[in-house]
Amino acid sequence: MKEHFIQKAKEFVGETVTLKGWAYSVRKGGKIWFLLLRDGTGIMQCVVTQTDADEASFDIKNVITQESSVKVTGLVKAEPRSPGGYEMLVHSLELVALAEEYPISKKEHGVDYLMDNRHLWLRSKRQHAIIRIRHTIIKAIRDYFDERDFTLLDTPIFQKAATEGTATLFATDYFGEKAYLTQSGQLYGEAGAAAFGKIYCFGPTFRAEKSKTRRHLTEFWMVEPEMAFYDLDMNMDVAEDFVFYIISQVLKYRRVELETLERDIKKLEAIQIPFPRISYTEAVKILNDNGVEFEWGDDFGGADETIISNQFDSPVMVHRYPAAIKAFYMKRDPENDKQVMALDMLAPEGYGEIIGGSQREDDLTAIIDRIKADGATEEDYNWYLDLRRYGSFPHSGFGLGVERVVSWLCGLQHIRETIPFPRTISRLNP
Ligand code: 4AD
Ligand code: MG
């Protein structure tokens, strides 16, 4: 079956073809009218005249409404003045379904209204561009690991214990037992690293984030590679190479969409590897030098991250954080007991943390101490501790939040537009 899509118009210039889609907008004259046809891949101007179209088709102009679905047959020509560079001279037009008055018009709507109509808002140019860039980012993520001998390891959504602290767990009833929605696949990923060497898990993760910020969702997608016999430095090498690859793929395949979003593409093109690497202690100094009252041991807030990342044009990796503000599974710094071998990658332009990772604690006694210090028990993590009992090994990994990266690369104000149907503290619908 031969199908024709607007984004491939170049391939059928000079041919008479049928396109199926929706009326993005309609402009009417007496003897001629213009239909901007949207088919999900692009937008094409269709010109309907009394001479070229049959009478019934021409008369559809009297009834057609925005977002009515249609089938249009006609001759495709190159037309530099048209949006997209092509146009169709219509021979016949069939109304598939007439749309009711469309809730989203050209006039300005508030964000809440648009979010309430998210299922329709997705059809608009901006949202379309964002989701296509998201698609390319996700494909780049998969390709990166697939091409480097990582095995995909799917980790469970229902979990018995916390990975990233108990404060943000979503609890659910699991046949009379308590289960939590996954915050991270990491602990299972570590089991995978012992079985396969290099793995990645990639799926939705959940955090009961009670704060309203432009960076937090309650449901977001995270990719987490985990690598056997990798130390912190090797982990950072992978993280920067990986993020650089994602940027290069977006620049290669999604230029039109970046332009639709009016993204300052030069800022992305200027990014180079290696990315700067600074210790947490050096980051604290940057804050203090910028007049921020910040003490060693405090955790960075969004505003702090912005100040640190503003010192650089590329993402910056901050390593070796105070143990007290990081998760139990991170390896103690052999050179400073107060620190762990953590890494965060902060994106430029104020987008904040896009990656969190670490070298993992591989010493059984040390990790049991950390679990107990968190108020949990050895039993909670029994299977996980087996990884330290049966052939413990140095290993490292990180998690990259897809929506944070989409937000940054698209240059968005808020993370809610980065995912088709966002979940936040105040939104469960649509
Ligand atoms: O820094 P986090 O909490 O790290 C982990 O979950 C580790 N277990 C990962 C690992 O080492 N395998 O989260 C990782 C990333 C953050 O850097 C951020 O990009 C994203 O996940 N993230 C969120 N994105 C959107 N909304 C939220 N509420 C997020 N919380 C974390
Ligand atoms: Mg983090």
Side-chain angles (χ1 to χ4, degrees):
M1 182 185 57
K2 182 105 175 94
E3 287 185 295
H4 295 95
F5 293 105
I6 293 172
Q7 73 176 352
K8 299 237 166 106
K10 196 164 135 191
E11 294 169 13
F12 48 86
V13 169
E15 289 179 41
T16 296
V17 302
T18 299
L19 297 172
K20 295 165 225 165
W22 295 263
Y24 189 68
S25 74
V26 179
R27 193 154 54 82
K28 301 171 190 177
K31 295 200 168 109
I32 185 167
W33 60 283
F34 300 91
L35 163 72
L36 278 188
L37 180 75
R38 181 181 71 71
D39 77 342
T41 73
I43 288 177
M44 189 183 289
Q45 172 158 280
C46 302
V47 185
V48 196
T49 65
Q50 263 172 331
T51 35
D52 291 296
D54 61 69
E55 197 178 331
S57 299
F58 186 81
D59 289 343
I60 287 175
K61 82 168 174 141
N62 300 324
V63 293
I64 194 166
T65 49
Q66 185 187 354
E67 289 300 321
S68 289
S69 45
V70 288
K71 287 187 200 168
V72 199
T73 304
L75 177 69
V76 175
K77 307 186 301 178
E79 174 48 74
R81 286 167 300 178
S82 267
Y86 302 91
E87 80 178 14
M88 176 187 264
L89 195 59
V90 177
H91 298 155
S92 68
L93 198 152
E94 184 192 325
L95 201 54
V96 177
L98 197 63
E100 294 176 25
E101 193 180 337
Y102 196 59
I104 301 177
S105 60
K106 284 238 160 64
K107 72 166 202 248
E108 287 276 312
H109 296 289
V111 169
D112 278 343
Y113 179 83
L114 290 169
M115 273 297 165
D116 288 342
N117 286 288
R118 183 67 174 163
H119 50 297
L120 302 176
W121 191 25
L122 282 175
R123 302 178 188 189
S124 77
K125 252 193 209 157
R126 252 183 80 78
Q127 301 309 313
H128 187 264
I130 295 167
I131 299 304
R132 294 251 272 198
I133 291 171
R134 176 187 171 99
H135 171 98
T136 297
I137 290 170
I138 291 175
K139 177 163 164 49
I141 289 170
R142 298 290 301 261
D143 287 348
Y144 184 87
F145 293 117
D146 291 347
E147 286 163 12
R148 286 161 183 80
D149 300 313
F150 284 70
T151 299
L152 175 69
L153 189 92
D154 298 310
T155 53
I157 304 276
F158 287 128
Q159 298 187 1
K160 258 186 85 88
T163 306
E164 298 302 325
T166 50
T168 60
L169 284 173
F170 276 114
T172 164
D173 173 59
Y174 195 78
F175 308 109
E177 197 183 335
K178 212 178 222 179
Y180 304 103
L181 298 185
T182 178
Q183 296 170 308
S184 159
Q186 180 198 316
L187 305 189
Y188 297 90
E190 290 181 50
F196 302 94
K198 294 194 288 185
I199 65 92
Y200 69 101
C201 60
F202 192 10
T205 43
F206 306 87
R207 308 242 175 129
E209 302 278 3
K210 282 159 204 110
S211 55
K212 267 194 184 174
T213 79
R214 57 192 214 95
R215 295 178 184 172
H216 289 92
L217 294 166
T218 54
E219 178 176 321
F220 62 96
W221 284 67
M222 179 158 54
V223 59
E224 297 176 87
E226 191 70 32
M227 297 151 296
F229 303 103
Y230 272 52
D231 64 14
L232 181 64
D233 286 334
M234 295 161 84
N235 200 18
M236 289 198 275
D237 291 345
V238 175
E240 81 184 353
D241 191 54
F242 171 53
V243 168
F244 188 73
Y245 178 77
I246 295 173
I247 300 167
S248 68
Q249 294 303 99
V250 169
L251 286 171
K252 187 165 169 190
Y253 294 109
R254 292 294 170 215
R255 225 155 241 283
V256 171
E257 285 80 2
L258 290 172
E259 282 162 11
T260 298
L261 297 172
E262 297 176 351
R263 179 69 168 99
D264 185 350
I265 297 174
K266 284 202 204 73
K267 289 219 164 96
L268 299 179
E269 285 172 334
I271 294 170
Q272 307 251 346
I273 39 177
F275 296 165
R277 298 179 187 190
I278 59 172
S279 66
Y280 167 91
T281 305
E282 287 166 314
V284 171
K285 187 164 183 314
I286 290 177
L287 290 176
N288 293 156
D289 289 349
N290 280 272
V292 182
E293 260 182 55
F294 189 99
E295 276 181 42
W296 199 98
D298 294 346
D299 205 356
F300 302 133
D304 304 318
E305 287 179 354
T306 300
I307 293 171
I308 298 163
S309 64
N310 276 348
Q311 316 298 313
F312 310 95
D313 293 331
S314 295
V316 52
M317 287 190 279
V318 183
H319 53 82
R320 293 177 173 79
Y321 281 72
I325 56 169
K326 288 293 186 188
F328 72 91
Y329 52 70
M330 296 190 181
K331 186 176 178 60
R332 283 292 162 123
D333 182 349
E335 281 163 21
N336 181 344
D337 205 37
K338 288 199 166 54
Q339 291 177 177
V340 285
M341 303 299 267
L343 95 99
D344 275 5
M345 188 189 287
L346 311 180
E349 301 175 66
Y351 283 94
E353 182 193 329
I354 52 171
I355 280 182
S358 65
Q359 183 170 343
R360 319 306 188 188
E361 183 55 76
D362 46 30
D363 180 82
L364 181 64
T365 319
I367 203 161
I368 290 174
D369 286 348
R370 289 295 306 275
I371 287 171
K372 287 186 179 154
D374 277 3
T377 66
E378 230 177 289
E379 285 69 53
D380 293 335
Y381 294 92
N382 215 12
W383 69 264
Y384 179 67
L385 295 173
D386 274 354
L387 306 175
R388 278 74 184 161
R389 293 187 183 109
Y390 305 109
S392 196
F393 59 120
H395 59 293
S396 297
F398 60 83
L400 170 132
V402 168
E403 291 74 17
R404 297 268 178 97
V405 174
V406 176
S407 191
W408 163 44
L409 297 185
C410 291
L412 305 182
Q413 294 294 323
H414 198 290
I415 199 166
R416 68 190 151 216
E417 288 178 58
T418 61
I419 185 165
F421 297 98
R423 294 291 175 257
T424 63
I425 186 169
S426 55
R427 184 161 297 280
L428 192 57
N429 188 54

